[in-house]
């Protein structure tokens, strides 16, 4: 069983506990109330910070107040709140600090008590809250993480944490300055924490809680600290979105492939005119027109494929597809150039001796083709006109458009994970690393 | 978000379907109306605009 009380910590041997509920502080005389009934072992006076041993009938002073500052808990001591497994009362508050490269990072912990359920913890760092239960089970430590109850946790951070402020009751003799090694492992929205001192190792399992839930549970009037950045085990809102987007993208892509296949099968792709010509620069009339030909079917495209026997030369073709009935001309020009040779880097080529151009939305009807060549040397060239030719450009553009939003979603998710891990001992540097972390970050919403 | 993406996806598929039906591709040409029929008898009388498109 997890978190059924102080059992996870070193609990003093059972001894006759003083049957008191409140007393005057031995140092300053301020009333001190005991809320943890017989379960607490020390209490820190809110007035002067003196630590008093409540397991001793004579209420001995354990330590004096070491901190000169007073920290106001976001949830006042004595506040009761309805949490997921019962009503709990805040009986203790402490602030802990770790130092990394000379910078102190502080978080706050609230000890909760319910006489039937035992103890729970709430921790808050940068406005991110966790509901924590101590565990009697020892997780299996593996390289880079830990396994616990079938879940794989990744190592997040290890540091020596010190208590720098404490007030209220605790089930061990807590004092300012008390330190332990803390190791955090995450599997969002869960966090597994190990606290190690010379005498004991304590494991606890926490779950991310939205600040609104905390405020509502304790009916808090004051706003809770604003969230900053991404919490260590904060569930990523992007993971589930990304998963749905990917599934829908695959469906859309499958439909696009189907449309393209139907287009390939259903298009006429019909050769309606083909002719070869000779060009000579000395010709007085270079223009040529074709016989009339029929463009069948519905309004569709026409593709003109040209070839010329140019070698290290060029040929410019001015072409027009003219509707004999309406007098509408589709006029365009194309250049065929083809150069090749060999140099110190080997053989090279530039251009090619063939070309392709498309005319869109050409209605059916009787047409003829006019071509007027221009070039520096005689050439033999051919023109082939195809009707209703399937195209690939729209297909590839559709695929690119469909992947656009999932790619943006992925980068947002990556950015979220980057922020999460930037606070850890393993800040991410590579995309593959991030992809791994994004896929591991869980999908619990 | 999901609805918007679905809408976007349907829009893309609709546009792609239309483009495929009409045989759309990257193309550039001039459409000229009322070209005289006499061109067939005398091709040299027609002087087009000499549009050079995707010119290499």
């Amino acid at each position: 069983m997890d978190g059924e009380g102080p059992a996870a910590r070193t609990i003093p041997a059972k001894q006759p506990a003083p049957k008191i509920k409140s007393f005057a502080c031995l140092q300053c005389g301020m009333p001190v109330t005991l809320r943890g009934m017989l379960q607490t072992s020390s209490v820190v006076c809110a007035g002067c910070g003196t630590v008093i041993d409540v397991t001793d009938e004579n209420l001995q002073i354990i330590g004096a107040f070491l901190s000169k500052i007073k920290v106001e808990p976001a949830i006042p001591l004595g506040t009761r709140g309805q949490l997921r497994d019962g009503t709990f009362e805040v009986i203790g508050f402490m602030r802990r600090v770790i130092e990394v490269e000379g910078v102190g990072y502080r978080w706050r912990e609230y000890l909760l008590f319910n006489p039937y359920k035992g103890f729970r913890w709430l921790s808050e760092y940068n406005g991110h809250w966790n509901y924590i239960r101590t565990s009697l089970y020892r997780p299996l430590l593996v390289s880079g993480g830990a396994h616990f109850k079938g879940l794989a946790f990744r190592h997040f951070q290890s540091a020596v944490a010190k208590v720098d402020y404490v007030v209220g009751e605790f089930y061990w003799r807590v004092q300012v300055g008390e330190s332990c090694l803390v190791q955090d492992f995450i599997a969002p929205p869960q966090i597994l924490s190990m606290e190690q001192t010379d005498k004991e190792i304590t494991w606890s399992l926490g779950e991310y809680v939205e600040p609104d839930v905390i405020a509502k549970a304790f009916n808090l009037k004051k706003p809770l600290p604003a969230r900053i950045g991404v919490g260590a085990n904060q569930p990523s809102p992007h993971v589930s979105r990304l998963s749905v987007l990917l599934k829908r993208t695959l469906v859309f892509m499958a439909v696009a492939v189907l449309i393209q296949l139907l287009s390939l099968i259903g298009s006429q792709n019909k050769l309606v005119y083909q002719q070869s010509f000779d060009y000579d620069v000395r010709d007085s009339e270079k223009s040529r027109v074709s016989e009339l030909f029929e463009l069948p079917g519905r309004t569709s495209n026409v593709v003109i494929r040209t070839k010329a026997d140019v070698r290290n030369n060029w040929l410019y073709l001015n072409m027009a597809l003219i509707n004999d009935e309406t007098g509408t001309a589709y006029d365009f020009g194309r250049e065929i150039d083809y150069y090749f040779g060999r140099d110190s880097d080997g053989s090279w080529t530039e251009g090619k001796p063939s070309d392709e151009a498309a005319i869109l939305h050409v209605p059916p009807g009787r047409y003829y083709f006019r071509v007027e060549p221009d070039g520096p040397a005689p050439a033999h060239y051919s023109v082939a006109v195809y009707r209703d030719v399937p195209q690939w450009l729209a297909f590839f553009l559709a695929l690119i458009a469909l992947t656009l939003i999932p790619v943006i979603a992925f980068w947002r998710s990556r950015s979220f994970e980057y922020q999460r891990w930037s606070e850890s001992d393993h800040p991410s540097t590579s995309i593959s690393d991030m992809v791994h972390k994004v896929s591991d970050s869980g999908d619990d919403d | 978000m999901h609805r918007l993406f679905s809408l976007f996806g349907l829009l893309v598929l609709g546009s792609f379907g239309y483009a495929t039906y009409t045989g759309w591709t990257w193309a550039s040409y001039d459409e000229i109306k009322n070209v005289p029929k006499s061109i067939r008898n005398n091709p040299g009388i027609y002087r087009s605009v000499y549009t050079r498109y995707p010119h290499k």
Side-chain angles (χ1 to χ4, degrees):
Chain A
M1 267 169 93
D2 295 339
E4 292 302 322
R9 299 235 176 219
T10 303
I11 305 169
K14 286 258 180 182
Q15 51 188 284
K19 295 179 180 177
I20 52 172
K21 289 194 173 177
S22 68
F23 59 90
C25 173
L26 306 176
Q27 191 72 25
C28 68
M30 188 173 177
V32 176
T33 308
L34 287 178
R35 301 180 178 91
M37 303 173 82
L38 305 179
Q39 304 273 6
T40 50
S41 107
S42 70
V43 63
V44 181
C45 173
C48 64
T50 301
V51 186
I52 301 160
D53 182 355
V54 292
T55 60
D56 190 312
E57 284 185 28
N58 298 316
L59 300 173
Q60 286 191 350
I61 292 176
I62 300 170
F65 193 46
L66 296 178
S67 177
K68 290 178 180 171
I69 53 157
K70 188 162 184 176
V71 180
E72 194 68 37
I75 312 173
L77 295 186
T79 309
R80 288 185 180 185
Q82 180 66 43
L83 292 162
R84 63 190 62 175
D85 57 346
T87 302
F88 285 85
E89 184 174 356
V90 179
I91 63 167
F93 168 77
M94 65 176 169
R95 192 176 70 176
R96 300 168 95 183
V97 59
I98 59 167
E99 277 202 14
V100 180
E101 294 172 352
V103 180
Y105 297 88
R106 290 176 170 79
W107 73 95
R108 290 142 288 276
E109 295 184 354
Y110 299 81
L111 180 60
L112 313 176
F113 178 69
N114 173 307
Y116 302 102
K117 305 271 183 178
F119 293 101
R120 302 286 187 274
W121 289 92
L122 278 176
S123 78
E124 179 269 317
Y125 173 66
N126 274 352
H128 300 279
W129 292 81
N130 275 299
Y131 183 60
I132 300 165
R133 303 171 72 168
T134 49
S135 171
L136 294 180
Y137 292 112
R138 186 189 173 99
L140 177 66
L141 287 172
V142 293
S143 171
H147 285 283
F148 186 67
K149 292 188 173 179
L151 267 180
F153 290 77
R154 290 172 66 93
H155 179 261
F156 190 79
Q157 195 172 50
S158 296
V160 174
K162 273 187 181 177
V163 175
D164 81 338
Y165 183 84
V166 62
V167 65
E169 294 167 62
F170 292 88
Y171 49 78
W172 79 101
R173 294 176 178 185
V174 61
Q175 288 191 72
V176 169
E178 180 184 293
S179 69
C180 65
L181 172 68
V182 179
Q183 289 198 60
D184 288 333
F185 303 84
I186 62 162
Q190 306 211 60
I191 186 166
L192 191 61
S193 297
M194 186 201 80
E195 294 187 10
Q196 184 176 3
T197 62
D198 294 339
K199 296 174 185 170
E200 61 176 352
I201 294 177
T202 308
W203 286 93
S204 55
L205 184 68
E207 188 167 350
Y208 191 88
V209 185
E210 293 293 328
D212 292 350
V213 175
I214 300 291
K216 195 175 173 188
F218 289 93
N219 196 23
L220 300 174
K221 304 297 177 201
K222 275 188 175 179
L224 290 173
R227 274 202 285 207
I228 299 169
V230 174
N233 57 323
Q234 184 178 356
S236 170
H238 304 291
V239 173
S240 60
R241 284 181 201 161
L242 197 60
S243 165
V244 174
L245 283 183
L246 287 177
K247 282 176 193 164
R248 290 189 188 180
T249 301
L250 285 177
V251 171
F252 287 143
M253 282 184 167
V255 174
V257 169
L258 188 68
I259 291 172
Q260 184 66 9
L261 279 176
L262 290 175
S263 160
L264 292 173
I265 295 166
S267 296
Q268 293 181 56
N269 200 13
K270 185 180 179 183
L271 177 65
V272 290
Y273 171 74
Q274 189 170 29
Q275 186 68 50
S276 294
F277 303 97
D278 287 310
Y279 163 69
D280 192 327
V281 287
R282 293 169 300 181
D283 286 345
S284 58
E285 179 54 73
K286 298 178 179 70
S287 304
R288 300 282 187 273
V289 287
S290 71
E291 295 299 314
L292 286 173
F293 54 84
E294 189 78 24
L295 287 183
R298 58 185 171 80
T299 297
S300 181
N301 66 11
V302 169
V303 170
I304 293 100
R305 292 178 182 140
T306 49
K307 282 183 188 172
D309 61 352
V310 286
R311 297 167 70 83
N312 283 321
N313 217 327
W314 58 271
L315 181 70
Y316 181 77
L317 299 175
N318 185 260
M319 296 174 273
L321 178 71
I322 303 164
N323 188 317
D324 187 51
E325 292 146 0
T326 63
T328 301
Y330 302 91
D331 200 311
F332 60 98
R334 303 285 291 181
E335 186 176 296
I336 300 171
D337 51 12
Y338 183 52
Y339 296 88
F340 55 89
R342 178 175 280 278
D343 59 15
S344 57
D345 295 330
S347 59
W348 59 269
T349 62
E350 189 180 308
K352 54 183 182 177
S354 61
D355 184 54
E356 181 173 307
I359 304 171
L360 312 180
H361 307 291
V362 182
R366 287 167 67 78
Y367 287 79
Y368 64 96
F369 196 76
R370 177 191 175 277
V371 58
E372 184 177 347
D374 188 15
H380 179 78
Y381 65 96
S382 66
V383 176
V385 180
Y386 290 82
R387 174 63 161 168
D388 192 21
V389 180
Q391 298 294 326
W392 287 92
L393 182 62
F395 175 64
F396 289 121
L397 287 179
L399 292 190
I400 290 169
L402 288 174
T403 51
L404 207 61
I405 290 177
V407 165
I408 292 169
F410 172 77
W411 279 99
R412 287 184 67 189
S413 177
R414 180 187 178 277
S415 167
F416 188 89
E417 292 303 320
Y418 181 84
Q419 276 192 64
R420 181 203 304 284
W421 287 93
S422 63
E423 294 255 336
S424 77
D425 291 344
H426 319 281
S428 296
T429 51
S430 71
I431 286 181
S432 59
D433 191 25
M434 283 317 305
V435 170
H436 185 56
K437 282 168 181 171
V438 166
S439 61
D440 278 1
S441 64
D443 180 6
D444 289 83
D445 44 349
Chain B
M1 174 76 176
H2 295 155
R3 265 188 207 170
L4 272 178
F5 178 67
S6 298
L7 203 66
F8 173 75
L10 291 174
L11 196 70
V12 169
L13 285 181
S15 306
F16 169 57
Y18 177 73
T20 304
Y21 179 74
T22 56
W24 180 86
T25 186
W26 180 254
S28 172
Y29 51 87
D30 287 299
E31 196 172 320
I32 298 156
K33 301 288 182 185
N34 304 318
V35 174
K37 291 192 175 185
S38 54
I39 287 172
R40 287 199 62 224
N41 302 322
N42 187 2
I45 65 162
Y46 177 78
R47 282 288 172 267
S48 65
V49 291
Y50 283 92
T51 306
R52 288 192 170 214
Y53 97 103
H55 178 45
K56 292 176 280 188

